[in-house]
């Protein structure tokens, strides 16, 4: 039998798995990342329409956290009215294969 990492030997938050979860944890973070991957550069309103029921406060918080974690890049243009665009960073793009694998798993295992 192959050796597996036992989380009982350490606190899960101190593992690579725990760190990854902390970065993508949140109801909308993965949806935001996948939208930026599939649609490219997007403005705040476009993301809001894509995500539907998300509140402005929650979307703002998710975008700030994703930017702080280096997964997205926020570009603000100095104009009136303000124009802000969001895109995936190289670090954010590195999560896409993991998210693709999750999509494949969901497609193969969905029961409806």
């Amino acid at each position: 039998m192959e050796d597996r990492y036992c989380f009982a030997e350490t606190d899960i938050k101190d593992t690579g798995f725990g760190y990854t979860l902390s970065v993508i944890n949140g109801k909308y973070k993965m949806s935001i990342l996948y939208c930026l991957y599939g649609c490219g550069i997007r403005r705040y309103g476009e993301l809001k329409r894509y995500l539907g029921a998300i509140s402005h406060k929650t979307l703002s918080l998710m975008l700030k956290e994703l930017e702080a974690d280096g997964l997205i890049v926020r570009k603000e243009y100095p104009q009136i009215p303000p124009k802000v665009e969001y895109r995936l960073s190289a670090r954010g793009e590195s999560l896409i294969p993991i998210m693709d694998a999750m999509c494949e798993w969901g497609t193969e295992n969905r029961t409806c």
Side-chain angles (χ1 to χ4, degrees):
M1 180 178 225
E2 72 181 69
D3 289 335
R4 294 185 184 190
Y5 190 79
C6 180
F7 291 124
E9 297 170 3
T10 187
D11 191 333
I12 195 168
K13 74 177 189 287
D14 296 329
T15 66
F17 177 76
Y19 175 74
T20 303
L21 285 181
S22 74
V23 170
I24 63 172
N25 191 25
K27 185 174 179 181
Y28 296 100
K29 284 185 179 181
M30 290 183 25
S31 296
I32 292 167
L33 294 171
Y34 224 57
C35 174
L36 292 175
Y37 170 67
C39 302
I41 297 170
R42 295 286 125 192
R43 294 177 67 182
Y44 181 92
E46 294 170 316
L47 289 169
K48 175 86 171 81
R49 281 189 296 280
Y50 174 80
L51 296 167
I54 190 171
S55 71
H56 288 287
K57 180 179 178 181
T58 301
L59 179 55
S60 292
L61 179 62
M62 296 295 106
L63 290 169
K64 286 176 186 174
E65 289 178 5
L66 289 167
E67 182 183 14
D69 288 330
L71 300 178
I72 65 171
V73 175
R74 179 183 188 271
K75 183 172 182 180
E76 187 172 343
Y77 295 89
Q79 65 185 49
I80 305 290
K83 177 182 174 184
V84 178
E85 294 178 336
Y86 298 91
R87 67 172 174 80
L88 280 182
S89 66
R91 188 171 190 216
E93 288 176 5
S94 72
L95 281 170
I96 297 304
I98 295 166
M99 294 171 65
D100 281 341
M102 291 173 68
C103 288
E104 289 174 25
W105 186 91
T107 299
E108 292 170 4
N109 291 281
R110 186 164 52 194
T111 58
C112 51

